[in-house]
Amino acid sequence: MAFSQTGTIGWFARHEFNLSWRDFMRMMSGGKPGREKTVIGVLILTAIVMHIIAFAVLKPAIETGIDPDKSLFSLLTGGLLLTISLMMSQAMELVTRAFYSRSDLDLILSSPVSVKRLFAVRIGAIASTTTALSMLLCGSAINVLAIFDSANWLYAYPIILACGFLATSISLALTILMFRTLGAKRTRLASQIVAAVVGASFIIGIQLAAIASIGSISRLEFLQSDMIINLTPDAESWFWVPARAVLGEMNAFIAVFCAAVLLFVGAIYVFAGSFAQHVVSAAGVNFTTTNHKASRRTFKRTTMRTALRHKEWTLLLRDHWLLSQTLMQILYLVPPAFMLWQGFGNAGVIGVVVVPVLVMASGQLSGGLAWLAISGEDAPDLVETAPVVRGAVIRAKIEAVLGAIAIVVSPIILLMAIADIQMAVIALAGIAAASVSATCIQLWFRSQAKRSNFRRRQTSSKIATLAEAFSSILWAGTAALLAAGSWLLLVPMILALMVLWTARSFRPETPLN
Amino acid sequence: MPEYALEVSGLTKIFDRPAVNNLQFNVEAGEFYALLGPNGAGKTTSLRMVAGLLQPDAGEIRVFGNNAKTNPVDAKHVMAWVPDEPMIYDRLTPIEYLEFVAGLWGIEAQTAQKNAYELLDWLALSENSHERCEGFSKGMRQKVALAGALVHDPRLIILDEPLTGLDAGSARLVKDVLIERVNKGCSVIMTTHILEVAERMAERIGVISKGRLIAEGTLEGLQKQAGRKNSSLEEIFLGLVADDEHGQEAA
């Protein structure tokens, strides 16, 4: 193996790329060697399916012809703002992680290389990661439009990259500002909460505006509504320059792309040096929470189940990252809650919108919490050597999960019950089914892991991840159809049960704990 | 006939090769027993089976007469496990951790509280008792884990390399706590690579190689068995392991 010139930006970039690629392949293959070809095959298949779906969705618009009018500009501008808000959320999280994770930093910071170059590369990597995800999500739609409408749609790719540059630059500036004003210790929590709020705020804001103005939760309808068309500037205004850039107007494209690149290069130039300083100062922060005034703690009479439940809830409440994620899930419940308030007593609104959203959110939340409680045990030896039957430990952990879900959803259920008791009962049944299903799936596919690996929980079993997502969607569908009084509810219900049966059949024979 | 804290017979565990092979040894009540062996000899695997963390492929384990396989809850009630890598909850404080452990073992609240504060005092953790463990050093974490193991007053303590990574002061504290427990009638079985510790603390020593017990006894007994009078434990241990390896190669 030939050693190349070290310490250059290119050398760091190659090193970072190698690590990221191996990380990605490990995540996709579940850490099992020799699966690369399968992973590539699955990715190609997924891309084909996504293109078919995109074609089916866009076909009517392509057939009628897509005109570059204010309605399209509004849709594209809204889409770009949504993309930027999600990118900013992701970038803020990545910047925060880069500040606080140590991994190889001790080695690199103690070496005589220029850390400014390393952080320039890492900032670039953050922009690439955030851009890649959005490109993957939008890629199929862009390709379909480029093939069947106009090749100019391919300009959307560099514009997404420009959004990535913009989002990373703003996130970097925001996080460093927080670091300087709040200090290293508080920034970790604050930035996670801000990231969650930023990620959810635009999508929620637009949904709330849509409900208030047109009585629908649909963002597409809202962005193309007469109200928005009348409120926004003329089609010739500079306001629509980003939308025109997506459509391939050369002047607009050059202006948007160059502005984003300049901003990004400026951000790297300004912040790469201070980034290194902040990383060093973050390393010196002691995150220990000291309660100097704490008096002698009085132990309470307890049982094993209470002790386990209490432990799980305490750990959940003290997990900042998890709290921000949960906060984000709860924020997504705001629009249906608002809709519930708007259409108070309107069974149709509650049944079609509120019930399925609640059921879906509960299923997803239960899956995450169940993983934390069942698989994410930081002291497995302690729990395993305790003089209790294994089943009792599992039962106590499940109680902790379901208890947490009950606390989150009960205010909305209560509000719903005042408006329409029947809908509240249906929502409750759907939430119970989705939560129990997600918990069962986590139970069947449990494998011991550190809680800090929560982000990678999906990699332990792709079957579990898919089963969890499908069961939540299908139970949401069942609840919505039940609310609508349709016998078709049997279809998603049977499918949900089949998903559970399939997941159970594929469960590992001997769970690790 | 002596009362046995731990009786291990015919214990076998096979991964891709036999990790523990027909292992047999006993630990008397109130005895300090050290289990020595080179890396990969099967020490940790054996102790994990005793603690109920691994299922044996064959053999029997009895803890104070309770069959650990058929009656695991009773067996676990009287023992404690301290792994080499302390497993504690970063977001709990030491006192909260001890309250949780006491809850798992069903210890009466007042007793648990008294035990917990005594242990934290003894292990010099009182100052940190209300700090979350996330900023603790390895030594502090190991002491919290040890306090967790002792808070329910176990009759048998199983420790896997408990002194790894501890500074001299912390190691001394841990050794003192273990000696004090043995003096009160508690039984201790411990693996260690620090042979001076085994030599000074253990009443009996078992030497394990390739999953089999190749020698067992007091220091004098081992010296006699190895034919090396006045030799240090280190010399005896290295001699026994080398002889065993040569013997196996010859066979």
Side-chain angles (χ1 to χ4, degrees):
Chain A
M1 183 183 163
F3 281 31
S4 53
Q5 193 184 351
T6 58
T8 60
I9 285 202
W11 180 79
F12 269 131
R14 215 165 30 250
H15 170 71
E16 292 288 310
F17 178 77
N18 271 337
L19 293 180
S20 307
W21 176 250
R22 286 176 191 184
D23 222 24
F24 172 74
M25 286 312 287
R26 191 182 173 279
M27 190 180 82
M28 296 305 293
S29 63
K32 290 176 187 139
R35 274 194 174 179
E36 286 80 3
K37 281 183 186 164
T38 318
V39 168
I40 291 167
V42 170
L43 287 176
I44 292 171
L45 195 69
T46 311
I48 292 170
V49 171
M50 282 179 74
H51 279 79
I52 292 170
I53 294 170
F55 179 72
V57 171
L58 293 168
K59 195 179 168 213
I62 293 168
E63 280 174 353
T64 52
I66 301 171
D67 296 323
D69 54 9
K70 261 182 82 174
S71 168
L72 180 65
F73 291 166
S74 169
L75 199 65
L76 290 175
T77 308
L80 286 176
L81 286 171
L82 176 68
T83 307
I84 290 170
S85 75
L86 292 174
M87 279 178 165
M88 271 182 65
S89 171
Q90 199 190 359
M92 275 192 84
E93 213 197 301
L94 290 171
V95 170
T96 313
R97 217 190 300 171
F99 270 147
Y100 294 97
S101 72
R102 306 266 28 104
S103 56
D104 58 351
L105 282 180
D106 286 353
L107 170 70
I108 293 168
L109 292 176
S110 63
S111 74
V113 296
S114 159
V115 287
K116 196 169 177 175
R117 286 180 195 155
L118 169 76
F119 288 112
V121 169
R122 293 221 163 153
I123 294 167
I126 290 169
S128 312
T129 310
T130 48
T131 305
L133 187 69
S134 295
M135 279 193 182
L136 280 174
L137 288 172
C138 306
S140 48
I142 295 171
N143 294 344
V144 165
L145 287 166
I147 295 165
F148 296 101
D149 185 52
S150 159
N152 274 2
W153 280 103
L154 290 174
Y155 281 96
Y157 280 118
I159 292 301
I160 292 177
L161 182 63
C163 289
F165 287 157
L166 179 70
T168 307
S169 307
I170 298 172
S171 305
L172 196 58
L174 252 171
T175 316
I176 287 185
L177 183 73
M178 277 196 276
F179 212 92
R180 285 182 182 160
T181 50
L182 300 174
K185 199 168 177 174
R186 291 196 194 103
T187 299
R188 193 162 63 160
L189 172 63
S191 66
Q192 283 167 349
I193 292 172
V194 172
V197 173
V198 164
S201 58
F202 183 74
I203 193 167
I204 289 166
I206 212 165
Q207 279 181 342
L208 292 178
I211 295 165
S213 58
I214 58 172
S216 157
I217 205 161
S218 166
R219 293 183 296 276
L220 294 181
E221 271 181 53
F222 175 70
L223 288 169
Q224 293 178 300
S225 66
D226 289 341
M227 188 191 81
I228 289 292
I229 301 298
N230 293 332
L231 274 175
T232 46
D234 293 340
E236 285 72 35
S237 166
W238 62 268
F239 185 79
W240 304 117
V241 166
R244 289 180 182 282
V246 174
L247 293 171
E249 272 189 33
M250 196 46 74
N251 289 344
F253 172 77
I254 291 171
V256 170
F257 192 75
C258 290
V261 170
L262 280 175
L263 186 74
F264 185 60
V265 171
I268 289 180
Y269 183 77
V270 172
F271 295 122
S274 55
F275 200 101
Q277 284 168 14
H278 292 315
V279 166
V280 172
S281 58
V285 172
N286 180 8
F287 287 102
T288 306
T289 308
T290 313
N291 187 357
H292 291 296
K293 288 178 188 166
S295 54
R296 201 175 162 88
R297 186 182 173 88
T298 308
F299 284 24
K300 293 177 193 80
R301 184 193 293 262
T302 185
T303 61
M304 178 279 295
R305 283 165 77 161
T306 317
L308 268 169
R309 273 201 307 268
H310 184 252
K311 185 266 286 183
E312 289 302 334
W313 287 336
T314 308
L315 294 183
L316 288 177
L317 283 172
R318 289 180 184 174
D319 192 326
H320 301 154
W321 187 81
L322 184 74
L323 268 186
S324 66
Q325 294 302 300
T326 313
L327 176 76
M328 195 137 104
Q329 302 237 21
I330 294 169
L331 279 176
Y332 287 120
L333 293 177
V334 172
F338 182 66
M339 199 157 193
L340 176 65
W341 175 64
Q342 281 260 308
F344 206 69
N346 183 342
V349 169
I350 298 172
V352 175
V353 182
V354 185
V355 170
V357 172
L358 259 181
V359 172
M360 176 92 183
S362 307
Q364 290 297 298
L365 196 58
S366 304
L369 294 179
W371 184 90
L372 279 166
I374 295 164
S375 293
E377 173 59 63
D378 282 348
D381 283 8
L382 173 74
V383 176
E384 192 75 7
T385 54
V388 283
V389 183
R390 187 180 291 180
V393 174
I394 297 284
R395 270 198 299 280
K397 290 189 166 205
I398 290 171
E399 283 167 14
V401 174
L402 298 181
I405 299 293
I407 290 167
V408 173
V409 298
S410 53
I412 300 182
I413 292 287
L414 209 64
L415 190 66
M416 204 184 270
I418 298 167
D420 188 327
I421 188 81
Q422 192 191 341
M423 289 299 148
V425 172
I426 291 171
L428 203 59
I431 289 166
S435 300
V436 170
S437 302
T439 309
C440 283
I441 292 165
Q442 287 302 327
L443 197 60
W444 295 329
F445 288 87
R446 65 185 185 270
S447 65
Q448 196 54 61
K450 297 281 282 178
R451 291 172 83 89
S452 49
N453 289 339
F454 179 71
R455 279 171 227 270
R456 295 186 167 186
R457 73 187 176 94
Q458 282 93 346
T459 61
S460 61
S461 169
K462 303 282 179 304
I463 299 171
T465 307
L466 286 173
E468 198 185 299
F470 280 128
S471 98
S472 293
I473 293 167
L474 290 165
W475 284 123
T478 307
L481 288 167
L482 181 61
S486 168
W487 283 107
L488 284 174
L489 74 98
L490 287 172
V491 177
M493 193 174 85
I494 291 167
L495 285 174
L497 293 172
M498 278 169 66
V499 164
L500 287 176
W501 180 81
T502 312
R504 197 172 185 275
S505 318
F506 278 96
R507 74 189 192 280
E509 277 179 23
T510 47
L512 289 177
N513 61 332
Chain B
M1 194 176 160
E3 185 194 7
Y4 287 116
L6 177 66
E7 297 163 85
V8 173
S9 57
L11 194 64
T12 301
K13 183 74 193 177
I14 299 167
F15 295 117
D16 46 345
R17 62 180 178 81
V20 177
N21 192 0
N22 198 23
L23 187 67
Q24 188 146 337
F25 68 93
N26 299 326
V27 178
E28 290 178 20
E31 184 180 33
F32 198 125
Y33 188 97
L35 193 60
L36 310 181
N39 289 333
K43 304 181 297 291
T44 301
T45 305
S46 304
L47 292 195
R48 287 185 72 84
M49 285 191 279
V50 171
L53 294 164
L54 256 181
Q55 207 61 261
D57 290 331
E60 195 173 65
I61 299 162
R62 285 184 175 275
V63 179
F64 286 100
N66 290 309
N67 188 321
K69 194 172 182 182
T70 57
N71 198 0
V73 173
D74 284 351
K76 287 174 178 179
H77 247 297
V78 291
M79 64 177 168
W81 160 251
V82 184
D84 58 339
E85 202 53 53
M87 287 182 171
I88 56 175
Y89 301 100
D90 283 351
R91 290 189 174 86
L92 293 187
T93 66
I95 197 71
E96 287 170 336
Y97 176 74
L98 297 185
E99 188 177 7
F100 170 61
V101 177
L104 284 182
W105 261 260
I107 307 296
E108 203 264 324
Q110 267 189 323
T111 313
Q113 187 181 334
K114 186 175 152 287
N115 288 352
Y117 277 103
E118 272 177 16
L119 281 163
L120 292 178
D121 269 348
W122 204 344
L123 290 165
L125 284 169
S126 297
E127 289 264 301
N128 314 93
S129 62
H130 295 283
E131 291 173 11
R132 289 192 201 161
C133 299
E134 52 202 337
F136 284 11
S137 67
K138 162 102 195 265
M140 287 167 82
R141 296 169 72 85
Q142 188 66 284
K143 287 196 279 183
V144 174
L146 182 65
L150 301 179
V151 75
H152 53 89
D153 274 331
R155 294 174 69 195
L156 171 66
I157 308 171
I158 306 162
L159 305 105
D160 186 22
E161 297 287 349
L163 305 177
T164 310
L166 294 190
D167 63 35
S170 301
R172 179 68 179 270
L173 268 173
V174 171
K175 285 186 274 184
D176 286 349
V177 168
L178 293 178
I179 293 288
E180 186 263 349
R181 291 283 158 160
V182 171
N183 289 339
K184 281 185 176 171
C186 185
S187 314
V188 171
I189 175 166
M190 178 174 98
T191 68
T192 181
H193 286 297
I194 311 171
L195 299 184
E196 291 87 350
V197 171
E199 192 170 347
R200 267 192 233 142
M201 294 175 74
E203 292 158 56
R204 279 195 312 138
I205 296 160
V207 180
I208 181 172
S209 177
K210 294 183 177 160
R212 296 174 305 108
L213 193 72
I214 57 171
E216 188 189 46
T218 58
L219 182 59
E220 292 75 32
L222 289 177
Q223 284 170 336
K224 205 179 277 179
Q225 194 176 330
R228 293 164 185 254
K229 269 192 178 173
N230 301 322
S231 297
S232 69
L233 181 59
E234 186 180 11
E235 288 165 333
I236 297 165
F237 170 75
L238 292 173
L240 283 168
V241 172
D243 289 349
D244 181 64
E245 279 178 3
H246 290 148
Q248 286 211 8
E249 276 169 25

